[in-house]
């Protein structure tokens, strides 16, 4: 085999739909992946939004991901079947801090299966728990997530659109799963984002206030001891 054959790039295009309840962070996930940006103010997606990004997979396979961000209110809309039809992958998202958003994902899974069942290959389904940066407010147990994914034949993912944690890795894994490409450990490590955790620091005013309070406590304790000595 010549060097030119080895360097030949295979191009593929994949349609991936992103579905789930409103405010589960679907648009934030898409924006973080496609633009490496996070909008702190919530804006509801009306109908449909589009994103795209290229990702390189092992074997010189270059994939153009066409990401269809479907608004949460579209679940009962007349255009939903057209939005989903032809999708090779579907990210079914929920908010790990919102139990109701998880309870509704079965409706989304059933709709994706319904609208892709006549395709040559059914859509690859992925269960995505978003907002892992709010782990202390988790309302959906990990065991519940894992059980649902297993029951419905879905790949399982946890991400944080806010910090970027695991977002790129998830999209790469989904593309590889759809195409039947195995990712190596080094492939996956290349997409692991380094998350900078905020460090809590006290201001000078806080430190002075704490020192003042401690000083008052010492004076009160000293006064009590002096009173006891006087009584004795």
């Amino acid at each position: 085999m010549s060097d030119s054959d080895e360097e030949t790039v295979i191009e593929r295009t994949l349609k991936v739909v992103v579905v789930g309840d409103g405010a589960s962070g679907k648009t934030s996930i898409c924006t973080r992946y496609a633009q490496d940006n996070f909008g702190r103010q919530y804006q509801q997606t009306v109908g449909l939004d589009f994103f795209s990004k290229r990702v390189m997979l092992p074997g010189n396979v270059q994939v153009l991901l066409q990401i269809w961000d479907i608004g949460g209110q579209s679940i009962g809309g007349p255009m939903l079947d057209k939005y989903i039809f032809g999708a090779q992958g579907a990210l079914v998202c929920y908010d790990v801090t919102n139990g109701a958003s998880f309870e509704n994902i079965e409706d989304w899974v059933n709709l994706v299966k319904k609208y892709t069942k006549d395709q040559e290959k059914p859509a690859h389904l992925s269960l995505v728990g978003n907002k892992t940066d709010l782990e202390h407010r988790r309302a959906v147990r990990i065991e519940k997530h894992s059980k649902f994914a297993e029951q419905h034949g879905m790949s399982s993912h946890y991400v944080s659109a806010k910090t970027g944690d695991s977002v790129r890795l998830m999209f790469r894994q989904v593309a590889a799963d759809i195409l039947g490409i195995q990712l190596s450990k080094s492939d996956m490590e290349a997409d692991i984002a380094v998350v900078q955790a905020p460090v809590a620091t006290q201001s000078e005013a806080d430190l002075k206030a704490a020192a003042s309070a401690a000083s008052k406590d010492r004076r009160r304790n000293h006064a009590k001891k002096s009173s006891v000595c006087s009584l004795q």
Side-chain angles (χ1 to χ4, degrees):
M1 182 181 292
S2 66
D3 292 340
S4 59
D5 291 332
E6 292 179 355
E7 295 173 1
T8 300
V9 175
I10 302 169
E11 296 187 354
R12 297 293 303 271
T13 299
L14 297 177
K15 175 182 176 179
V16 176
V17 295
V18 183
V19 299
D21 278 6
S24 59
K26 301 183 301 297
T27 300
S28 294
I29 291 172
C30 296
T31 304
R32 171 62 72 185
Y33 178 64
Q35 303 170 4
D36 195 20
N37 187 36
F38 177 78
R40 294 182 178 275
Q41 187 172 358
Y42 172 67
Q43 292 183 334
Q44 185 182 51
T45 299
V46 179
L48 183 69
D49 211 345
F50 292 95
F51 299 85
S52 65
K53 189 167 183 175
R54 295 184 184 276
V55 58
M56 188 64 101
L57 297 178
N60 281 342
V61 179
Q62 182 174 260
V63 180
L64 173 61
L65 285 175
Q66 296 180 340
I67 305 166
W68 295 45
D69 172 23
I70 299 175
Q73 81 287 349
S74 299
I75 193 166
M79 297 295 290
L80 185 61
D81 59 332
K82 297 175 178 61
Y83 293 160
I84 294 176
F85 181 77
Q88 286 108 334
L91 306 183
V92 186
C93 304
Y94 73 95
D95 173 356
V96 299
T97 71
N98 183 343
S101 70
F102 183 84
E103 297 303 326
N104 294 332
I105 59 176
E106 189 161 11
D107 293 335
W108 286 104
V109 169
N110 290 334
L111 285 170
V112 172
K113 289 181 176 179
K114 176 182 177 181
Y115 296 137
T116 61
K117 65 180 181 179
D118 294 329
Q119 297 175 184
E120 182 177 347
K121 186 178 179 181
H124 172 79
L125 294 168
S126 302
L127 179 60
V128 183
N130 184 34
K131 304 188 184 181
T132 56
D133 54 287
L134 299 175
E135 183 66 31
H136 59 290
R137 289 170 49 189
R138 174 182 286 277
V140 181
R141 298 192 314 274
I142 293 175
E143 296 80 6
K144 196 171 184 179
H145 170 112
S146 301
K147 183 177 180 181
F148 187 94
E150 184 177 355
Q151 288 177 337
H152 292 81
M154 308 172 75
S155 60
S156 173
H157 308 272
Y158 282 109
V159 303
S160 169
K162 183 176 181 178
T163 65
D165 184 32
S166 296
V167 173
R168 286 185 302 173
L169 176 59
M170 175 187 67
F171 277 100
R172 179 183 288 272
Q173 286 182 320
V174 168
D177 287 344
I178 294 171
L179 298 174
I181 296 174
Q182 185 70 35
L183 294 180
S184 67
K185 184 178 179 180
S186 59
D187 292 326
M188 292 186 286
E189 288 176 346
D191 276 327
I192 295 177
V194 177
V195 179
Q196 298 292 340
V199 177
T201 57
Q202 289 183 295
S203 66
E204 185 177 349
D206 291 336
L207 291 172
K208 287 182 178 179
S212 176
S215 178
K216 288 179 181 178
D217 287 340
R218 285 195 298 271
R219 286 199 297 271
R220 280 197 296 267
N221 291 335
H222 179 72
K224 287 179 182 178
K225 290 179 181 179
S226 299
S227 298
V228 171
C229 291
S230 298
L231 287 172
Q232 289 175 342

